[in-house]
Amino acid sequence: MSRQSQAFIPTLKDAPADAEAISHKLMVRAGLIRQMGAGLWTYLPAGWRVERKVEAVIREEMEGIGCQEMLMPVLQPAEPWKKSGRYAIDELFKLEDRKGSPLVLAMTHEEAITYHVAREVRSYRDLPLMLFHIQTKERDEPRPRAGVLRTREFTMKDAYSFDRDEEGLARSYDLQSGAYERILDRCGVRWYKVESDVGMMGGSGADEFMAPCPAGENEVALAPGYAANVEVASARAQPVELPAPLSAPERVSTPGLTTVEEVSGALEVPAGALIKALPVIVEDRGMVLVLVRGDHRLNEIKLRNALGAEFRQAGAEEIAAGLGPVGFIGPVGAKIPVIKDAAIVGGSFVCGANEPDAHLRGVQPSRDFEFEELDVRTVEAGDTAPGGGTIEIEPAIEVGNIFKLGSRYSDPLGATFLDENGKEQAIVMGSYGIGPARIVAASIEQRADDRGIVWPRAIAPWQVHLVSLAKAGEPEREAADRIYDALGAAGAEVLYDDRDAGPGEKLTDAELLGCPLRIVAGRRGLAEGVVEASERASGAEHKLPVEDAAERALALLAGVDDGSGDA
RNA sequence: CGGGGAGUGGCGCAGUCUGGUAGCGCACUCGGCUGGGGGCCGAGCGGUCGCAGGUUCAAAUCCUGUCUCCCCGACCA
């Protein structure tokens, strides 16, 4: 129940000059949010209503699977973070109180929840257990961007499961996964569940819920029956036509030609017939030469996971000292371990000769150099997915993610229980995050048209936007007032535009704000005894008799097909 | 962290090169007209030109430093 003349919904004719993403522009323009600093946003009343609606959906689905709500502080002692090993993360905000005690601003709540569970849970009889809260997170992001999409402070629903073993974890994980699917469907978000990297969370397995949209900062590899973040995606490469094999590598002079393009051009072979050699320094292992096909890109996350260790690119001096001249290095004759990407197959490649201004052709793996084979390249559109489908790559927003943590936190923080045999065991944990703000942004990105936002009913700030085109005191305004009262009496959520503004401004604002049903009460319709209802999503228009306009509007609303799973 | 761009009234911008009265559109206030797609007329309010220091008779403008914001990349539970 809101009269727009008294509401704080500052709409803008133009988007801020520095906004790029659709959701960023529209959320600012529609008066949902305003910026306070880089990655720091205020939710204005209409925006906050939307955010709270998403939270309400999340709450219902969490409670539906027996996950209990609680609330943990954002400001926390540093101690548990030191124990878990995450105190070293750059993104973690660190501070001190007046006594000099180290504190942190939590970026997630694994440490806090594990701290509590470690103290209260003692027996297998206390398990399984699922807890969640909806709380602010703080992250010192290197680069906040795109409005509400990547911020330094944001609200997240994070849930945690506690089980006695892996089977229990699998059950909890499935329950959470199902809840996430329902949450996103109900919020009208199109999504894919994809395999993902465990990242800084640590743990044994993870899935992400990705909402495809242009502003997405992740890329997902999709094919029928296959979906994975490109960070971890694996597929069969497109074949490349190799030159005829030689009985032994042959040295060719390539003066000054150091890039794949230059060498493939000069030797008239496709880029994929080259081997790119990338020297990296692996933690505790020294320099290793990683090979990928000339037309492929090394995927650092896949390499890190395959190595089971951190690594960095070797510096120019290190390369010169350990291998050969930068730009002309290759695996033949290299005196360091070689990792060959699995997509390098066949017997006649071109690679650096480890001497200035020279390459080798006719190089054949195994025959000419030894290697360990790993899948470390980034998949590309057109590759063949494990199921046989053709890979497409699409940008997407990560709206949620779920992790099998195992004992990643229960070990360092001492969260254990006694089993039936009186034996102490580590609690097996899972963690499940979802970002309401990203759901809001994704919903806008996926559904907006050139006039503005198109909300699904479940998260619209108001269900009905009643627009009076008349001025206060006119009979047409009184008719609108009566409809407003009737809608309110019927329990509908109505935003009533009773501002003394021109019709163009009001109608444009209504489309910008995107409530599912707009009702226009103006002189033209009222002269024939009707008001005009239009569905924001479909554009369908209906004339409703004034006398029972409210009732008819509610009936219409119930049938509005808004594209969400909740209609 | 690397590259690029920008800080001038609430928003969008001009003015900066070539130093000399701070300006435009929108918004806002008041009055009037208008009333189905951001309308019109008139009168107004509102700015330490991001900050600090320097050069100069004089700095939005030149110099030095610094802060902030945006975009691309790196990074990103």
Side-chain angles (χ1 to χ4, degrees):
Chain A
M1 294 291 285
S2 306
R3 285 182 176 262
Q4 206 164 344
S5 61
Q6 277 132 53
F8 186 45
I9 310 175
T11 57
L12 257 29
K13 206 188 291 189
D14 298 300
D18 51 24
E20 294 286 325
I22 302 159
S23 57
H24 181 186
K25 289 181 187 168
L26 289 178
M27 288 180 82
V28 173
R29 280 229 289 144
L32 267 40
I33 56 170
R34 284 294 185 268
Q35 185 167 22
M36 221 183 144
L40 300 171
W41 292 86
T42 292
Y43 282 81
L44 302 181
W48 188 236
R49 286 180 72 94
V50 174
E51 165 102 6
R52 288 211 333 244
K53 293 221 165 172
V54 174
E55 291 179 6
V57 170
I58 293 171
R59 264 192 190 96
E60 284 179 26
E61 294 297 339
M62 283 297 112
E63 284 165 5
I65 58 169
C67 194
Q68 305 167 64
E69 184 165 8
M70 55 190 287
L71 186 67
M72 292 175 278
V74 178
L75 182 63
Q76 301 180 1
E79 184 59 26
W81 292 78
K82 291 182 174 169
K83 281 188 181 160
S84 72
R86 293 209 299 174
Y87 191 70
I89 292 175
D90 290 332
E91 280 179 291
L92 184 66
F93 276 111
K94 299 157 184 102
L95 66 159
E96 285 184 356
D97 65 13
R98 64 175 76 200
K99 291 178 298 207
S101 306
L103 298 165
V104 304
L105 296 176
M107 50 198 296
T108 62
H109 283 74
E110 279 79 5
E111 282 79 1
I113 195 92
T114 310
Y115 170 90
H116 286 115
V117 168
R119 269 154 196 78
E120 314 305 331
V121 169
R122 311 231 152 70
S123 159
Y124 69 94
R125 291 184 224 271
D126 300 325
L127 301 173
L129 182 62
M130 286 202 289
L131 301 164
F132 80 100
H133 72 344
I134 297 177
Q135 176 64 294
T136 303
K137 309 292 171 209
E138 306 285 349
R139 288 185 196 178
D140 194 356
E141 287 286 349
R143 191 187 157 206
R145 59 180 290 272
V148 112
L149 230 47
R150 177 155 225 102
T151 55
R152 292 194 289 181
E153 175 175 286
F154 60 99
T155 301
M156 181 166 95
K157 184 289 300 180
D158 41 326
Y160 304 92
S161 66
F162 303 88
D163 284 279
R164 48 189 302 184
D165 52 27
E166 286 291 330
E167 292 84 67
L169 170 59
R171 274 193 299 277
S172 298
Y173 194 82
D174 287 345
L175 282 173
Q176 288 284 343
S177 184
Y180 275 38
E181 296 176 12
R182 289 189 293 278
I183 289 165
L184 296 174
D185 284 345
R186 290 181 59 183
C187 291
V189 171
R190 234 173 5 102
W191 56 272
Y192 299 101
K193 180 180 168 184
V194 305
E195 300 168 24
S196 77
D197 181 49
V198 294
M200 71 167 134
M201 291 298 310
S204 61
D207 289 282
E208 288 171 333
F209 290 85
M210 307 294 277
C213 69
E217 47 179 6
N218 291 90
E219 292 191 314
V220 290
L222 300 169
Y226 182 79
N229 193 316
V230 292
E231 291 176 350
V232 299
S234 184
R236 197 165 75 246
Q238 296 157 82
V240 65
E241 196 149 327
L242 295 175
L246 304 175
S247 57
E250 175 187 302
R251 188 179 176 284
V252 286
S253 176
T254 51
L257 307 182
T258 58
T259 67
V260 168
E261 295 74 46
E262 289 164 355
V263 175
S264 74
L267 300 183
E268 296 182 331
V269 296
L274 268 59
I275 288 177
K276 242 189 308 199
L278 308 157
V280 299
I281 310 291
V282 182
E283 200 171 53
D284 301 330
R285 220 182 293 183
M287 186 151 58
V288 172
L289 193 60
V290 180
L291 309 179
V292 296
R293 225 167 71 181
D295 59 339
H296 288 160
R297 289 195 343 250
L298 174 68
N299 182 326
E300 301 195 354
I301 292 169
K302 284 171 75 173
L303 177 59
R304 188 193 69 213
N305 291 340
L307 290 168
E310 294 296 328
F311 71 92
R312 63 176 171 84
Q313 291 188 6
E317 315 79 53
E318 290 168 315
I319 296 170
L323 270 169
V326 174
F328 300 97
I329 58 174
V332 181
K335 294 183 180 60
I336 58 172
V338 172
I339 289 173
K340 181 186 79 65
D341 179 65
I344 298 177
V345 289
S348 185
F349 286 92
V350 173
C351 64
N354 292 324
E355 55 180 285
D357 299 330
H359 280 75
L360 298 175
R361 70 163 138 216
V363 171
Q364 188 173 325
S366 293
R367 185 191 68 186
D368 300 327
F369 62 91
E370 293 188 356
F371 57 84
E372 175 187 3
E373 181 167 291
L374 295 172
D375 173 15
V376 294
R377 77 178 179 102
T378 302
V379 301
E380 295 173 342
D383 291 351
T384 304
T390 301
I391 294 273
E392 286 178 41
I393 295 195
E394 210 176 345
I397 303 177
E398 178 188 344
V399 289
N401 58 22
I402 55 180
F403 295 91
K404 288 183 178 172
L405 294 174
S407 59
R408 164 69 182 84
Y409 294 89
S410 40
D411 278 339
L413 293 165
T416 60
F417 67 98
L418 294 184
D419 66 17
E420 294 97 321
N421 306 315
K423 195 178 161 219
E424 186 171 57
Q425 309 260 20
I427 297 178
V428 181
M429 291 176 54
S431 90
Y432 316 91
I434 196 164
R438 285 188 173 181
I439 289 179
V440 172
S443 180
I444 292 172
E445 294 273 341
Q446 291 180 349
R447 307 166 52 92
D449 60 23
D450 55 359
R451 297 187 192 189
I453 299 171
V454 182
W455 295 116
R457 285 192 55 198
I459 63 174
W462 291 273
Q463 300 295 299
V464 181
H465 199 164
L466 174 64
V467 179
S468 166
L469 296 181
K471 261 197 305 194
E474 293 177 350
E476 290 85 355
R477 169 58 65 83
E478 284 159 23
D481 285 346
R482 281 194 298 275
I483 296 172
Y484 176 56
D485 291 340
L487 282 166
E493 289 182 323
V494 193
L495 177 62
Y496 178 27
D497 193 346
D498 59 342
R499 294 175 299 170
D500 186 13
E505 190 175 344
K506 291 181 172 187
L507 296 172
T508 310
D509 270 356
E511 280 151 359
L512 216 207
L513 193 52
C515 296
L517 192 66
R518 182 185 75 189
I519 298 175
V520 174
R523 186 170 297 165
R524 204 167 65 192
L526 288 170
E528 344 167 354
V530 299
V531 293
E532 293 130 33
S534 66
E535 300 174 22
R536 182 65 180 88
S538 68
E541 309 237 5
H542 314 266
K543 289 193 193 252
L544 312 180
V546 210
E547 316 83 63
D548 60 349
E551 203 177 313
R552 295 280 301 275
L554 292 174
L556 261 182
L557 197 57
V560 165
D561 176 13
D562 62 8
S564 83
D566 201 34

